[in-house]
Amino acid sequence: KTAAETLGGLSVLVNNVGNYIYKPLEQMSIDEWHHMMDANLNCTFYLTQSAIPYLKAATWGRVVNFAFATAQNVVADELQTAYRIAKTGVIIYSKSLAKELVEYGITVNVIAPGVAENSVDLAETIPLLPMQRPATLEEVSHAVNFFIGPNADYITGQVLEVAGGFRL
């Protein structure tokens, strides 16, 4: 509300939020589980729900949500299960919202970054990457700029991985 009032409206929302706990499910507490869902899925839902009236009023809009590379390929990972469930939920939420909002000129898409320069444990991860380097934050922002720009007018409900071939 504050952003829309300050800016005189709202036409773009980027939900770039999340963190993860790296541990087996049997060791995860209920509070940690809730934190993972709140930080990665629920925040996206809450903020988007608040923004929808402003986006509709603008009669044009873009929503870009963040997941992670391979989130649309449902694969188990015993140390990141809660994170994967939440980010896969972001994709399903985004695709459903894309169908609902298309009639208002609003597109909803997902950026799914892989390992980026601000990731932890880069020394261990880089050898696993086909491009042998992490993504720069600028490369991730280029994908966001594409989805919010005029060249993506006819694109909605899509997931764009910015992952350099991670887990191909």
Side-chain angles (χ1 to χ4, degrees):
K1 180 178 179 180
T2 302
E5 289 174 356
T6 302
L7 299 171
L10 185 67
S11 57
V12 174
L13 172 64
V14 178
N15 285 305
N16 180 12
V17 63
N19 61 4
Y20 64 91
I21 297 170
Y22 200 73
K23 63 169 48 172
L25 280 174
E26 66 181 287
Q27 295 175 14
M28 184 173 285
S29 71
I30 291 171
D31 286 342
E32 289 172 324
W33 176 269
H34 285 286
H35 174 73
M36 292 305 300
M37 295 305 133
D38 286 340
N40 292 288
L41 177 58
N42 295 341
C43 285
T44 296
F45 173 77
Y46 300 145
L47 191 55
T48 305
Q49 290 298 102
S50 296
I52 287 172
Y54 300 103
L55 296 169
K56 284 182 176 180
T59 66
W60 177 93
R62 302 283 187 261
V63 177
V64 179
N65 295 321
F66 271 67
F68 76 96
T70 73
Q72 62 186 343
N73 306 325
V74 180
V75 177
D77 182 330
E78 66 278 3
L79 298 177
Q80 293 181 327
T81 302
Y83 177 76
R84 286 177 177 264
I85 288 169
K87 290 300 189 178
T88 300
V90 167
I91 291 173
I92 294 166
Y93 171 68
S94 299
K95 288 177 178 263
S96 297
L97 199 58
K99 285 183 84 170
E100 290 182 30
L101 297 179
V102 71
E103 70 180 275
Y104 302 100
I106 301 166
T107 64
V108 182
N109 291 292
V110 178
I111 301 295
V115 178
E117 64 188 354
N118 64 339
S119 299
V120 295
D121 299 327
L122 284 177
E124 295 174 20
T125 310
I126 288 175
L128 304 174
L129 302 175
M131 293 189 123
Q132 296 294 293
R133 68 171 182 83
T136 67
L137 299 181
E138 185 176 14
E139 288 168 324
V140 176
S141 71
H142 288 315
V144 174
N145 286 334
F146 170 71
F147 276 143
I148 66 174
N151 292 329
D153 283 344
Y154 199 66
I155 300 171
T156 194
Q158 299 304 304
V159 178
L160 175 60
E161 289 193 4
V162 183
F166 181 59
R167 296 191 178 168
L168 281 178

